[in-house]
Structures are given as C-alpha cells and as structure tokens.
Amino acid sequence: IRGAQFKPNGAQVLLLIDGRPVREDLEGGIVSETLESFPVNAIERIEVIKGPGSVLYGSGAVAGVINVITEKADKNEVTVAGLGGEKGAFDTMAKAKVKNGDFNMLLAGKYHEKPDWNTPYDYKDASGNLVRTQMTFPDKGPGSFVDMNYKNLRLIASYNKWQNAFFIPDIQAFGPVTSEKRFANLGYEGLKVNDLWRMDFNTTYSGSDFD
C-alpha cells in the first residue's frame, strides 16, 4: 500500500476480520495462512484503508488497514461449492446460516489444494561447486470461520492452516513448512451510557504456529 513494504512479511499493513485485529506473534505481520485458507464464501466485502491508521487501529497499521467483513446470518441457508482444475487441483467450500429470533450463526469452511510446484534449485556446496536439486512446493490447507450472535453479544473465530515450503540459500536449507493461525474475539456492542456515549467491549485472542 502506497509503496510501503518495510519488511518482507508486510508488517506495516494491519489485517482485520470484522474490525478486530488479526495479529501475529512472531514478527507482527505474517498472515500468509489466513490469506491462503480463510473461507472466502463467508466474505461479504473487503475494505482497504490507505495511509497511517495506528491512532485508530493500533500497532501494525503504519501503511494501511485491510478489513475483511463477513456475511450476516439473516436467514436459514446451506450452500456447498466445489472447483476442480488440472493436475488434481481442487477447492471445496461449505457454508451454513442459522437464524432463530435474536440468535443467528454463520459457519463456513474450505479446503484447497493447488498443484505441487516442482522446480530445480541451484546452490554452491562447501567446495564452491554448483549443485542442482529438485524441490517440490506444496500449496494446500483448510480454513474455517464461525460467527455467533445473541442480541448485543458476539463471538467470531477462525482457524487457518497452510502447507508450503521454504529455502534458505546461505545454508542450503529447504523443506516443507506449515503455518497455522487461530483467532477469536468475544465482544459486547452498543452499551448505551447516555445519548452521546456508547461503549463496546472486546477481548481478542490470536495464536500462530510456524513449523
């Protein structure tokens, strides 16, 4: 955003889900598993706010903010979709909406698997000789999202996992890598103190695993 890419992990752009920050514990900005595996069938729209936003949104919003806004469970509904491609690639998605009086719930999930990327990788060994090895990059993972509302109380949560590969040329290291992201937010919105003052309360959990 606006040419700002100060770190390779994109830590200057803050990702929000329904207005709540999806933070990452290791370096502050790695959200690859969420971008790859979040169930897009649950998304209503995506808002991009360019420019510094840390005053309103906290740390990580130096260059901008991306807010993923999910659908509302305004009726009872179940949908399933699937996509297929060459070399065994596929993407499956399912979504369920439940509405009963003041209670509504949205459940969504997906699993995608793209073709493995087989590519040669060249590096120099300790003697300075050029060595070529074949590397295989997987690209697959599951994602899920849940949104439960009862009157002014709301719980949202997501789990995303992505399997890929890494390589570090300086030490000739390469192999599979798995990253996981767990996110949850419990909030109470719209506590009216007076005509000019309304209060919202939120507690957010975010956890990351990088194997």
Side-chain angles (χ1 to χ4, degrees), residues 166-184:
F166 78 96
F167 60 95
I168 306 174
D170 294 340
I171 59 174
Q172 291 87 51
F174 57 90
V177 62
T178 301
S179 54
E180 298 180 62
K181 175 65 62 62
R182 298 172 302 278
F183 164 78

Side-chain angles (χ1 to χ4, degrees), residues 62-128:
V62 175
V65 177
I66 298 174
N67 188 15
V68 176
I69 300 175
T70 60
E71 295 182 356
K72 307 304 178 191
D74 52 358
K75 58 183 176 180
N76 295 316
E77 179 184 62
V78 175
T79 59
V80 178
L83 303 172
E86 61 179 354
K87 299 181 180 179
F90 67 92
D91 196 339
T92 58
M93 295 179 287
K95 177 177 62 179
K97 294 181 179 180
V98 177
K99 182 173 177 57
N100 185 7
D102 292 328
F103 174 79
N104 58 77
M105 178 173 63
L106 168 67
L107 298 172
K110 70 168 288 187
Y111 185 90
H112 80 274
E113 182 168 349
K114 300 176 184 178
D116 291 343
W117 179 33
N118 299 310
T119 183
Y121 173 55
D122 298 339
Y123 65 92
K124 292 184 178 180
D125 61 15
S127 302

Side-chain angles (χ1 to χ4, degrees), residues 4-205:
Q5 183 70 17
F6 303 115
K7 296 178 68 177
N9 56 24
Q12 308 302 327
V13 178
L14 179 62
L15 176 66
L16 308 177
I17 296 179
D18 289 329
R20 303 307 304 162
V22 183
R23 303 192 186 278
E24 184 270 330
D25 307 326
L26 182 63
E27 296 187 35
I30 299 176
V31 291
S32 300
E33 64 288 296
T34 304
L35 300 179
E36 287 285 337
S37 301
F38 188 85
V40 295
N41 53 329
I43 297 176
E44 178 183 288
R45 67 185 188 274
I46 298 175
E47 297 179 348
V48 178
I49 304 171
K50 298 180 180 180
S54 296
V55 173
L56 292 177
Y57 298 100
S59 61
V62 175
V65 177
I66 298 174
N67 188 15
V68 176
I69 300 175
T70 60
E71 295 182 356
K72 307 304 178 191
D74 52 358
K75 58 183 176 180
N76 295 316
E77 179 184 62
V78 175
T79 59
V80 178
L83 303 172
E86 61 179 354
K87 299 181 180 179
F90 67 92
D91 196 339
T92 58
M93 295 179 287
K95 177 177 62 179
K97 294 181 179 180
V98 177
K99 182 173 177 57
N100 185 7
D102 292 328
F103 174 79
N104 58 77
M105 178 173 63
L106 168 67
L107 298 172
K110 70 168 288 187
Y111 185 90
H112 80 274
E113 182 168 349
K114 300 176 184 178
D116 291 343
W117 179 33
N118 299 310
T119 183
Y121 173 55
D122 298 339
Y123 65 92
K124 292 184 178 180
D125 61 15
S127 302
N129 300 315
L130 187 65
V131 179
R132 167 164 288 191
T133 185
Q134 195 74 16
M135 296 181 62
T136 300
F137 292 85
D139 190 344
K140 58 185 178 180
S144 61
F145 176 76
V146 59
D147 180 358
M148 294 188 293
N149 289 267
Y150 180 71
K151 294 184 177 180
N152 292 22
L153 188 66
R154 185 184 187 192
L155 172 66
I156 59 175
S158 71
Y159 170 79
N160 301 285
K161 181 178 180 180
W162 184 41
Q163 292 179 271
N164 200 252
F166 78 96
F167 60 95
I168 306 174
D170 294 340
I171 59 174
Q172 291 87 51
F174 57 90
V177 62
T178 301
S179 54
E180 298 180 62
K181 175 65 62 62
R182 298 172 302 278
F183 164 78
N185 185 85
L186 179 63
Y188 185 89
E189 300 178 353
L191 178 61
K192 186 176 180 181
V193 179
N194 54 45
D195 291 339
L196 301 176
W197 186 5
R198 193 193 78 166
M199 300 177 68
D200 296 343
F201 301 89
N202 287 278
T203 178
T204 305
Y205 164 79

